[in-house]
Amino acid sequence: KGQRWKVSQYDNIAFDLHWYHDFHSAWSLLSHAQHCQVVGESARVMCLLEGAVVGEWSLARPSTHTEEQVKDFATSQVRAYNHASHGWFFWNWHDHDCYDKWDMQRGVFARTRLPIPLGNLSHEVTRTEWSEDPWSIPLSPEGSGAASLVSWLGRVLVNPLVGLYDGGAYSFLRRLGF
């Protein structure tokens, strides 16, 4: 486990994770269920990190969702981010009126998108086990074809949108030497 990250030798390190589902048009391609699946995979990542805090998150997404989907997305994120060893912080307690998905007080609690107080939800987690041991994933693709590369990227990055965010898929693959 410590071979990749080597953080176990330090007791004062935590990864500050900012997992937004916004800021790139690729997020608009995902359905509500796919957004929640990505959130669930984020929980798995946090279980791998010996120190992690979700320093920022929001309910913002580039496409339109029903109010029930927004509530489900909020609950999914809290359950997933409860896996962070050092907790989580919503983007802002009080923001402008027009930014309800960035405002915890008026946009989340006042609209009952999350319960007040969080109660049992503050202790619930997404799941406690995953079928694949992430530390068994090879450090490079095992095959030479495109399908092998895509499969490997999906397993290693958990969310291939990470690669799309910084310059598009083409430049991302070029940096990997393909």
Side-chain angles (χ1 to χ4, degrees), residues 60-81:
R61 294 184 277 180
S63 47
T64 305
H65 297 89
T66 68
E67 191 58 30
E68 284 305 308
Q69 289 174 329
V70 174
K71 288 178 181 182
D72 183 49
F73 187 53
T75 301
S76 296
Q77 288 187 92
V78 169
R79 285 185 177 134
Y81 302 158

Side-chain angles (χ1 to χ4, degrees), residues 28-84:
S28 64
L29 302 174
L30 299 183
S31 68
H32 168 69
Q34 290 169 319
H35 277 278
C36 290
Q37 182 181 3
V38 169
V39 169
E41 287 298 316
S42 300
R44 179 172 77 135
V45 170
M46 285 180 282
C47 287
L48 298 174
L49 299 173
E50 295 179 25
V53 59
V54 179
E56 297 177 15
W57 65 279
S58 77
L59 300 180
R61 294 184 277 180
S63 47
T64 305
H65 297 89
T66 68
E67 191 58 30
E68 284 305 308
Q69 289 174 329
V70 174
K71 288 178 181 182
D72 183 49
F73 187 53
T75 301
S76 296
Q77 288 187 92
V78 169
R79 285 185 177 134
Y81 302 158
N82 282 343
H83 288 275

